Amino acid sequence: MKLSLLPTRQDTLLMVKVQQKVSGSFRSTEGANVFCQVRSYISTTRKNGQRVLDVLYQAFTGAPYMTRFIVSKIAEQYD
């Protein structure tokens, strides 16, 4: 495991704990799932050196950011 990734992983877990402490808990399982999906998307974009607001804008306008790995897997399906 790379030491440079440890703070990022800790930050990801920290956000879930902060959300739980602020609101007490998630209101539903669906809400918890959505929260985790959005946080995961943001975490992935940061790890790939992308600007979070730009990537969120792209997602909401129908052109979501995809990592090179995902793009290559999609391309393999059509080869």
Side-chain angles (χ1 to χ4, degrees):
M1 178 179 349
K2 292 183 180 179
L3 293 178
S4 63
L5 293 180
L6 286 176
T8 306
R9 290 181 182 165
Q10 289 174 349
D11 290 345
T12 301
L13 295 174
L14 178 66
M15 288 308 300
V16 173
K17 295 305 288 180
V18 168
Q19 171 65 20
Q20 287 177 330
K21 286 182 179 183
V22 168
S23 66
S25 66
F26 291 100
R27 292 184 181 201
S28 67
T29 303
E30 182 181 356
N33 287 335
V34 169
F35 178 83
C36 289
Q37 288 172 352
V38 171
R39 291 300 311 166
S40 175
Y41 188 73
I42 290 170
S43 178
T44 300
T45 60
R46 283 186 179 150
K47 289 176 189 175
N48 285 283
Q50 302 296 312
R51 294 175 51 183
V52 174
L53 289 178
D54 292 342
V55 171
L56 289 175
Y57 176 80
Q58 291 170 354
F60 285 116
T61 57
Y65 169 74
M66 291 186 276
T67 63
R68 286 185 219 143
F69 175 77
I70 293 173
V71 171
S72 67
K73 291 297 179 186
I74 291 172
E76 286 176 8
Q77 289 180 346
Y78 293 105
D79 287 341

